[in-house]
Amino acid sequence: MRQETRFEGSPTYVATDDLKLAVNAALTLQRPLLIKGEPGTGKTMLAEEVAAALDMPLMQWHVKSTTKAQQGLYEYDAVSRLRDSQLADIEGSERVKDIHNYIVKGVLWQAFTAPQPVVLLIDEIDKADIEFPNDLLRELDRMEFYVYETREMVTARHRPLVIITSNNEKELPDAFLRRCFFHYIKFPDKDTMQDIVKVHFPRLKRDLLAQALQTFYEVREVPGLKKKPSTSELLDWLKLLLAEDIPPEALRSQDARAVVPPLHGALLKNEQDVHLFERLLSMARNGR
């Protein structure tokens, strides 16, 4: 990795100073950057913006509950080889004799052998089995792995910048954490959120922005919400407010008490939270 490479943010992504510091620390230490934070705080988008800002290709590995670490390295397609060998008895084939034809390269292999340094995103690592991070320890630490079927060692030509995201669905192993530089993306305060909104809606009127942000944070502060609305949901809500030409005064009642916001389906994602919000507002109006 080039030592002079530094991330200074981008016009399309509002990165706080501590987040930029974390990215540059991972670059300097040549360690994976582990990013945590509640859903919707821009963890995945960070990798996209870092890659664009540093002019590096982006490779993405979106982890699922069924994902195995081996899939990121390579997979041996034994079924296809068996099928081809059966057909070869009839038609004759040279393909089946070369096992390399049945090795499917995973995203880590592709990142290791890329002609230039890349940003490698391992997204939502906590969705996989608890052993998943441990199974990648050696490969991410030494930047190499062994292919048993072909008896070759794959070594990284350039060390990629590895960005790993987690939603904290499960604890990650200590041995894995020791090898990462860690950063927690705090939920944006109102000033930072205002900057984020301006990136997406540069012509949004000031009074609508102020009232929408106040309503948004009031919704987030409702005690007992199952799912607090995130940044991405705020942006969706603002897009709808603009599309429907909702005025700022419609976000509050005449006596300045909170109301159920219009188009609240963009903010509240389940019926329990909608009912809870309505019940608390009703209690407030009745002076309880």
Side-chain angles (χ1 to χ4, degrees):
M1 189 71 65
R2 296 167 296 177
Q3 292 300 311
E4 71 273 19
T5 300
R6 289 186 62 81
F7 176 62
E8 301 296 345
S10 79
T12 57
Y13 185 88
V14 177
T16 58
D17 289 340
D18 57 344
L19 179 55
K20 288 184 282 188
L21 187 64
V23 173
N24 291 320
L27 283 165
T28 300
L29 295 173
Q30 296 189 334
R31 289 185 178 273
L33 173 61
L34 175 60
I35 297 289
K36 289 188 178 183
E38 64 178 85
T41 49
K43 300 185 296 297
T44 301
M45 189 180 297
L46 172 66
E48 299 171 358
E49 295 297 330
V50 169
L54 301 183
D55 194 24
M56 297 166 63
L58 173 65
M59 295 187 178
Q60 304 183 55
W61 187 11
H62 298 287
V63 177
K64 301 178 181 179
S65 60
T66 56
T67 303
K68 302 299 180 184
Q70 182 64 32
Q71 294 171 313
L73 306 178
Y74 70 93
E75 292 183 273
Y76 170 49
D77 191 352
V79 174
S80 291
R81 195 181 190 200
L82 175 60
R83 183 189 64 238
D84 289 350
S85 66
Q86 293 170 340
L87 292 174
D89 292 338
I90 303 172
E91 302 172 1
S93 174
E94 292 297 317
R95 173 180 171 82
V96 73
K97 297 178 182 179
D98 187 354
I99 196 172
H100 288 86
N101 293 321
Y102 303 94
I103 299 294
V104 181
K105 296 179 180 179
V107 66
L108 265 73
W109 188 327
Q110 298 174 46
F112 284 5
T113 57
Q116 67 184 92
V118 305
V119 174
L120 171 60
L121 170 64
I122 303 177
D123 198 28
E124 298 188 325
I125 194 172
D126 53 324
K127 279 189 174 181
D129 184 85
I130 189 62
E131 292 303 321
F132 180 91
N134 280 334
D135 291 342
L136 289 177
L137 282 179
R138 177 186 174 88
E139 288 75 17
L140 292 179
D141 201 25
R142 299 192 180 186
M143 287 287 144
E144 63 181 20
F145 62 90
Y146 188 71
V147 183
Y148 292 94
E149 289 80 0
T150 61
R151 299 179 183 178
E152 64 180 310
M153 181 71 75
V154 176
T155 303
R157 296 175 61 181
H158 307 280
R159 179 177 285 267
L161 170 58
V162 182
I163 297 180
I164 303 169
T165 71
S166 169
N167 288 326
N168 254 348
E169 291 185 9
K170 61 171 68 77
E171 289 295 323
L172 299 175
D174 289 342
F176 181 80
L177 295 175
R178 283 196 298 271
R179 288 165 169 80
C180 298
F181 187 89
F182 171 75
H183 181 75
Y184 184 86
I185 297 182
K186 298 177 182 177
F187 195 84
D189 57 26
K190 284 187 178 180
D191 290 338
T192 303
M193 187 65 81
Q194 184 169 295
D195 292 338
I196 293 173
V197 171
K198 286 179 178 178
V199 169
H200 296 270
F201 303 101
R203 298 181 181 178
L204 187 65
K205 292 181 179 179
R206 184 181 302 178
D207 52 351
L208 178 58
L209 173 58
Q211 187 58 67
L213 286 180
Q214 181 174 338
T215 301
F216 172 74
Y217 280 96
E218 286 176 352
V219 172
R220 277 186 57 86
E221 291 168 5
V222 170
L225 278 186
K226 186 176 181 181
K227 183 189 181 306
K228 294 183 179 181
S230 67
T231 304
S232 60
E233 286 154 349
L234 169 64
L235 297 176
D236 287 344
W237 185 51
L238 287 170
K239 184 176 181 179
L240 291 173
L241 293 180
L242 290 172
E244 298 297 328
D245 198 22
I246 303 295
E249 54 269 19
L251 304 184
R252 295 193 70 84
S253 60
Q254 294 298 318
D255 58 0
R257 289 179 300 189
V259 297
V260 177
L263 301 166
H264 61 268
L267 299 175
L268 303 174
K269 296 298 185 177
N270 58 71
E271 63 275 15
Q272 297 99 314
D273 285 349
V274 174
H275 293 158
L276 172 64
F277 192 72
E278 292 173 339
R279 186 166 65 251
L280 290 175
L281 290 181
S282 177
M283 292 171 62
R285 294 191 186 105
N286 293 332
R288 295 184 184 180

